[in-house]
Amino acid sequence: VFLDIRVWEFKFMRQSRSPSVSPSKQHTTTSATAESLFAQCRNGGNPFEMQTDIKDDETEDVLASNGYESDELEKSAYQEYDSDSDVPEELKRDYVDEQTGDIPVKSVSKETLRRGKKSDYSLFKGNTLILTNTTLNVIRLVGKYMQMMNILKPIAFDVIHCMSQLFDYYLYAVYTFFGREDMYESTGLGLISSRLRTTLNRIQESLIDLEAPPENTGPLTSVEERKEKVPSPHLSHLVVLNSTEMLYGLAERVVATESLVFLAEQFECLQPHLDAMMPSAKKPFLQQFYSQTVSTASELRKPIYWIVAAKAIDYEQMLHLMANVKWDVKEIMSQHNVYVDSLLKEFEQFNKRLFEVSKRVRIPLQVSNILWEHCIRLANRTIVEGYANVKKCSNEGRALMQLDFQQFLMKLEKLTDIRPIPDKEFVETYIKAYYLTENDMERWIKEHREYSTKQLTNLVNVCLGSHINKKARQKLIAAIEECDRPKR
């Protein structure tokens, strides 16, 4: 939903969008707008410093369900093109019962309600916008920028360049506050795409002044370069990101991230208008800005919410519990191990905390799904890592691994609607590899490069064990190292 109709700074666009306004009237309106805008600055200042007095007939409601409701002129401009006042009421209905003439009332069945999972926090909540004051202020600034472009067309490129820097800084600030975590960036799981990383590096190099102000001004070129840069953003000390109960600032992360995504959506809506104002020779700049920066905003969700998922579950405790399990058992076990129950309790606690946070800030279903996906993926990868630490394992022990994982999946599916379970095959494939022969193992190693060198080496040592000689083992280890070279 684009806010231009409901934000005062975008009112100048109405006449140009209305199909009933002729080109001559549009030109007159533009001239009047220019005169009005410059008249307000006659005694000094500029449009960006003014506090506009919004009159009664210009009252705005940025969260209104329909921008036209507060503007009768806008409504009348379109009504004559899309009027159905002469159509009988019964023909306007989607469905009418031929016997009674009544419109059927839709209802939610009890079965539908009963199927709802505990993780559906926003299932029955309205689709309310998550919008910060900062985002709204940026949108207002963009409106003022566009007013200047509409009046002073020769400087349109310079204005759009400034707008792009404004968005760049906003995106960089959100990443710096909530998405930068060195220990998780080194996981190698592709949390930040190459495109997003390139964008962040470009913004940092071209816009962010990371150096302290020098005592001596130095060469003129250095001073000129610094004029184009702004200080690195700093997070307020009032924002707490280390509270376990509050899921490490999840509410703040959601508000910041989803506001940025919303801002990017507004920029997408504005692209045709900006493209029309941009000189032909400079249009590649605008296209590059949208393809490399605006479109990457939603990609910040992954690293930002990953940080919460990585801290919300105690994966290290699970590894310790798995290390205490005896896997070289001699009989088939019917009871799963304790670490499975411990992990499930962690997920139940995470679910409760997520619900508590949702009381403060609405958690969109998409965000909830991302969090659950991250947590499950991390848990499954931790399970494989735990199996890779096993020193001795019998056939019965491998069956116990399968029993444990199936128990985990069965209980987990009652907590979340995420389907399919992320990285389910990652665990199952690793367990099945314990049954491979020497010849099959070499081929399997070359086909499954998603596992670490340690995990593959463990399969060779534990799976084949004493069944192969030293030379055959060295051959398989060499195959593992060869597969690992492209990763480095």
Side-chain angles (χ1 to χ4, degrees), residues 11-50:
K11 283 182 176 287
F12 77 96
M13 295 174 60
R14 290 183 175 179
Q15 293 296 333
S16 61
R17 290 177 60 180
S18 175
S20 61
V21 179
S22 65
S24 60
K25 289 184 178 180
Q26 288 184 19
H27 178 74
T28 304
T29 303
T30 302
S31 302
T33 303
E35 183 179 351
S36 173
L37 186 65
F38 287 117
Q40 296 176 52
C41 306
R42 188 172 297 161
N43 296 326
N46 61 69
F48 297 93
E49 296 175 345
M50 293 185 307

Side-chain angles (χ1 to χ4, degrees), residues 98-157:
E98 293 183 358
Q99 302 296 327
T100 64
D102 295 333
I103 301 175
V105 178
K106 295 182 179 179
S107 61
V108 180
S109 67
K110 292 182 179 179
E111 182 64 26
T112 302
L113 293 173
R114 190 160 50 246
R115 286 200 304 264
K117 299 293 188 299
K118 295 180 181 179
S119 59
D120 294 338
Y121 307 106
S122 56
L123 188 61
F124 302 111
K125 295 185 179 181
N127 190 24
T128 309
L129 292 177
I130 297 179
L131 188 63
T132 63
N133 283 333
T134 303
T135 306
L136 187 56
N137 286 334
V138 170
I139 292 173
R140 291 185 185 280
L141 286 173
V142 169
K144 291 180 179 180
Y145 274 131
M146 293 187 68
Q147 287 183 53
M148 298 302 295
M149 283 190 289
N150 191 48
I151 298 167
L152 303 173
K153 291 180 172 57
I155 65 168
F157 170 71

